[in-house]
Amino acid sequence: MLDVQKIIEDVTQVYGKSRTALMPILQAVVKERNYLEDKEMIAVAKALDLSPAEVFGTASFYTFLDTVPRGKYCIRVCKTISCHMAGKDEIIKALEDTLRIKVGETTVDKQFTLMTANCLGWCHKGPVMLINDEVYPELTPQRAIEIVNGYRRENAG
Amino acid sequence: MEIENTRPKRVDFIFNKEGIDPLKVVEKTIQRNPDDIILDMIDSGLKGRGGAGFPTGLKWKFTKNEDSPVKYVICNADEGEPGTFKDREILDQVPEKVFSGLSICGYTVGAREGFIYLRGEYNFLLKSLNEKLKRFNDGLKKMGLDFTIQMRSGSGAYICGEESALFESMEGYRGEPRNKPPYPTVAGYLGKPTAINNVETLVYACMICQFGPEKFREIGTRDSRGSKVFSVSGDTPKAGIHELELGMTVQQFVEEFGDGDTKAVQVGGASGGCVPRKNFKDTIIGYEGIPTGGSMMLFNSSRSMYNVLHDYLEFFTEESCGQCTPCRVGCQQLLKGIEAVKRGERPPAYLEDLKKLAATMKLSAKCGLGQSVANPFVSIVNNFREEIIY
């Protein structure tokens, strides 16, 4: 269970109770659970003395601060030009096949969400993907599947 | 400098760890008068390495001259330009040099707090950066410098690399750029005078303080002093990071890095310009020609420039913050426009209308994102018109 009060407490101890703490708090919540629920944004708003609309407005601006449910592992495949030329389409196809979802969807067991992202900064080693904060450059379709299988095993064991 | 057809000269400043202790550079430099440090920076000819190329010494001077008890210095590590990955490599390999440059900047302008705004995509670097930063901050404390550096993270928004959007983000708001002026040196983070520098710029600042401005200014050209870290990608057998002397032509670059069949080079990332083969010889990579934040993407004959442009426009459409109409609507219309021309729903002459729209965006968009969409659009449409149409 995600304890948003504890996160707020921890973060505001470092950053103070001002609005500058907002991004760090939201980032800390997303680090725990990959997306923000309304009740959490309301709790954050209360703690920082803001309107919940302000918190939602900020969160919804940022690609990594999702406000809709995401899986335990967010896969982001870079789709910008260098990775495009290096074959990101095949990587996405392989991931769609193994996860049996399309880009933008989450698996029924809520484990994986497949997304695309703009330039991840690995243009010399594309195609590349992020799974949560971990980066996986120089992908082949086979390797992408193996990496996902690794996460599956970790989860089962 | 005479432009001869020689190979680009390799330089090894940034990643070289020999003969330099970043903490000692700070210790040595803070014995000096801030005005002397600024003079050295101006004298070196160092210009910001993030892409915009503002003279670093002047930026520091303006910030120092502001009369305010609270000032900030920030390292912009929100490297998001497609084709750029040098800042990640620098922060991974020589982070202490970045901390050193930022501390010197802080001392020079009179700031007590410094921040490194790292893009969310590079969160995997955070743990090690925080550990090294802690040691570095302890070192600063030991030498009696009242200055500390903290990390801040982005959350996946390209626009936050724009300095005023970055301040908004750090302040807990949507990353929407502000009107300028006032410039950051007058009113930046939390409305205070702020010197914000790119990662690579700070490393050069550290090196200039260690080895003197002469060492830096003796290479490069009159308008583009020194060297620069290039991020090379696309159709090249030598993809990766290369530090090169400034002042080479695209031709020289292509001879070194091309695959023998290069038809175009995108200089400066998606927001930069596309140089076609016929212009390779006459185009200098630098402030006298085509400036770059370091992104160099090579395309060979097998690539469709329509696809390249389509990719860029999709990128801008998604990354536009949506605040001002020229950019929000303009990006979408340019994208829809080339799609319509490609499908034959619009005549080829429609491209002229789209170019007018791009010119309007350049003139009226609020920030650099919207203003620079015209760069790739016009250069690709002009030089590869038939590929866009057929």
Side-chain angles (χ1 to χ4, degrees):
Chain A
M1 191 56 196
L2 186 110
D3 186 352
V4 69
Q5 287 306 338
K6 183 168 183 320
I7 290 178
I8 292 172
E9 224 165 84
D10 290 350
V11 177
T12 48
Q13 248 169 33
V14 182
Y15 297 91
K17 272 209 165 177
S18 67
R19 181 144 186 174
T20 49
L22 180 56
M23 288 288 285
I25 294 174
L26 298 180
Q27 286 163 345
V29 175
V30 167
K31 195 171 168 60
E32 289 295 313
R33 219 252 335 262
N34 274 341
Y35 72 98
L36 299 153
E37 278 181 5
D38 288 355
K39 60 172 193 263
E40 289 148 13
M41 288 188 273
I42 292 168
V44 174
K46 211 172 206 172
L48 296 181
D49 197 18
L50 296 168
S51 145
E54 288 278 332
V55 176
F56 178 79
T58 300
S60 59
F61 183 85
Y62 296 93
T63 317
F64 286 11
L65 301 179
D66 278 311
T67 51
V68 290
R70 300 292 188 202
K72 184 175 173 191
Y73 303 109
C74 279
I75 306 177
R76 292 185 163 90
V77 183
C78 176
K79 63 168 184 171
T80 308
I81 188 75
S82 294
C83 283
H84 191 169
M85 301 199 307
K88 58 100 183 163
D89 287 341
E90 287 79 52
I91 306 300
I92 292 172
K93 173 85 175 51
L95 290 171
E96 283 181 338
D97 287 350
T98 186
L99 295 168
R100 297 211 241 151
I101 50 172
K102 295 280 173 209
V103 170
E105 294 177 350
T106 301
T107 53
V108 276
D109 61 3
K110 306 266 194 301
Q111 293 302 304
F112 296 96
T113 300
L114 180 61
M115 291 178 275
T116 55
N118 283 324
C119 191
L120 296 175
W122 290 86
C123 319
H124 58 322
K125 290 187 175 169
V128 60
M129 67 177 173
L130 282 177
I131 300 185
N132 294 348
D133 281 351
E134 288 305 310
V135 63
Y136 298 95
E138 297 182 288
L139 292 174
T140 60
Q142 191 51 39
R143 201 171 127 60
I145 294 168
E146 280 164 16
I147 291 164
V148 168
N149 285 340
Y151 278 87
R152 281 174 169 147
R153 275 194 298 275
E154 187 183 302
N155 233 20
Chain B
M1 194 185 93
E2 280 292 303
I3 304 296
E4 291 158 20
N5 206 10
T6 50
R7 298 175 68 165
K9 203 175 123 207
R10 288 179 182 277
V11 181
D12 189 19
F13 274 151
I14 295 276
F15 296 103
N16 195 345
K17 291 179 186 168
E18 278 166 38
I20 181 158
D21 175 345
L23 205 52
K24 287 235 169 71
V25 182
V26 180
E27 197 162 16
K28 181 177 94 170
T29 309
I30 60 169
Q31 307 306 321
R32 304 178 62 201
N33 187 323
D35 290 321
D36 294 337
I37 302 171
I38 288 172
L39 278 181
D40 267 8
M41 287 299 147
I42 294 173
D43 194 34
S44 71
L46 175 61
K47 291 180 181 177
R49 293 300 196 235
F54 191 81
T56 306
L58 289 180
K59 190 181 273 185
W60 291 18
K61 186 177 170 181
F62 295 155
T63 315
K64 179 188 174 284
N65 287 350
E66 283 300 311
D67 184 20
S68 166
V70 180
K71 295 178 189 179
Y72 297 105
V73 291
I74 294 175
C75 168
N76 185 346
D78 193 54
E79 173 175 60
E81 190 63 50
T84 317
F85 41 93
K86 62 173 179 87
D87 293 342
R88 171 179 52 71
E89 205 74 22
I90 292 171
L91 283 166
D92 193 26
Q93 292 191 28
V94 287
E96 284 89 356
K97 284 190 187 175
V98 182
F99 306 158
S100 172
L102 190 60
S103 309
I104 292 167
C105 178
Y107 164 75
T108 308
V109 306
R112 300 219 307 270
E113 281 184 272
F115 299 94
I116 298 175
Y117 185 96
L118 185 74
R119 69 188 301 220
E121 289 84 343
Y122 294 169
N123 273 347
F124 59 91
L125 287 172
L126 263 181
K127 192 165 169 278
S128 118
L129 281 176
N130 271 321
E131 285 165 11
K132 287 172 181 156
L133 196 51
K134 192 174 174 308
R135 280 199 295 275
F136 199 88
N137 278 330
D138 288 345
L140 293 177
K141 206 183 217 170
K142 244 180 236 156
M143 71 177 77
L145 183 67
D146 183 13
F147 182 79
T148 46
I149 302 173
Q150 299 173 47
M151 297 298 302
R152 288 290 186 275
S153 294
S155 277
Y158 166 75
I159 189 58
C160 289
E162 200 279 342
E163 50 198 17
S164 62
L166 187 150
F167 302 145
E168 292 287 316
S169 174
M170 278 179 61
E171 291 175 16
Y173 293 87
R174 298 166 68 85
E176 293 173 348
R178 302 171 182 168
N179 279 322
K180 292 182 205 179
Y183 292 98
T185 53
V186 176
Y189 178 52
L190 297 175
K192 305 294 180 197
T194 306
I196 176 165
N197 294 280
N198 171 260
V199 173
E200 185 188 343
T201 314
L202 290 170
V203 177
Y204 278 121
C206 163
M207 303 305 273
I208 288 165
C209 289
Q210 170 73 6
F211 299 110
E214 302 79 20
K215 182 98 180 138
F216 185 82
R217 65 174 291 128
E218 71 190 14
I219 58 172
T221 67
R222 198 169 57 86
D223 290 331
S224 310
R225 298 280 180 205
S227 48
K228 166 100 196 72
V229 182
F230 288 90
S231 313
V232 184
S233 70
D235 296 312
T236 165
K238 295 178 182 172
I241 303 283
H242 303 274
E243 189 177 3
L244 306 168
E245 179 174 0
L246 283 172
M248 70 197 131
T249 61
V250 179
Q251 177 74 27
Q252 285 170 294
F253 180 86
V254 166
E255 275 169 23
E256 177 75 15
F257 295 99
D259 61 356
D261 187 26
T262 309
K263 80 166 168 190
V265 181
Q266 180 77 13
V267 182
S271 64
C274 184
V275 182
R277 190 183 282 150
K278 66 175 192 292
N279 294 346
F280 282 177
K281 273 199 174 73
D282 313 318
T283 310
I284 295 173
I285 302 167
Y287 301 106
E288 52 272 85
I290 184 157
T292 170
S295 170
M296 304 292 285
M297 291 187 271
L298 294 90
F299 304 112
N300 69 20
S301 306
S302 73
R303 305 295 178 184
S304 153
M305 294 311 285
Y306 171 81
N307 286 346
V308 172
L309 181 58
H310 193 271
D311 250 53
Y312 291 160
L313 292 175
E314 231 175 32
F315 175 83
F316 286 122
T317 303
E318 288 175 14
E319 296 296 343
S320 168
C321 81
Q323 183 187 192
C324 76
T325 314
C327 177
R328 182 185 65 246
V329 179
C331 289
Q332 296 174 23
Q333 291 304 324
L334 291 179
L335 180 59
K336 280 185 187 168
I338 62 161
E339 285 174 347
V341 171
K342 191 71 169 179
R343 284 195 301 261
E345 290 162 15
R346 291 276 188 177
Y350 187 60
L351 289 174
E352 299 310 313
D353 292 339
L354 293 177
K355 266 163 45 187
K356 278 186 211 154
L357 171 60
T360 306
M361 289 168 71
K362 189 165 202 152
L363 208 65
S364 57
K366 186 168 178 179
C367 80
L369 191 155
Q371 291 161 10
S372 56
V373 177
N375 298 339
F377 187 83
V378 174
S379 58
I380 293 177
V381 167
N382 280 351
N383 291 305
F384 299 97
R385 195 182 163 86
E386 59 291 347
E387 288 189 38
I388 305 297
I389 299 167
Y390 303 107

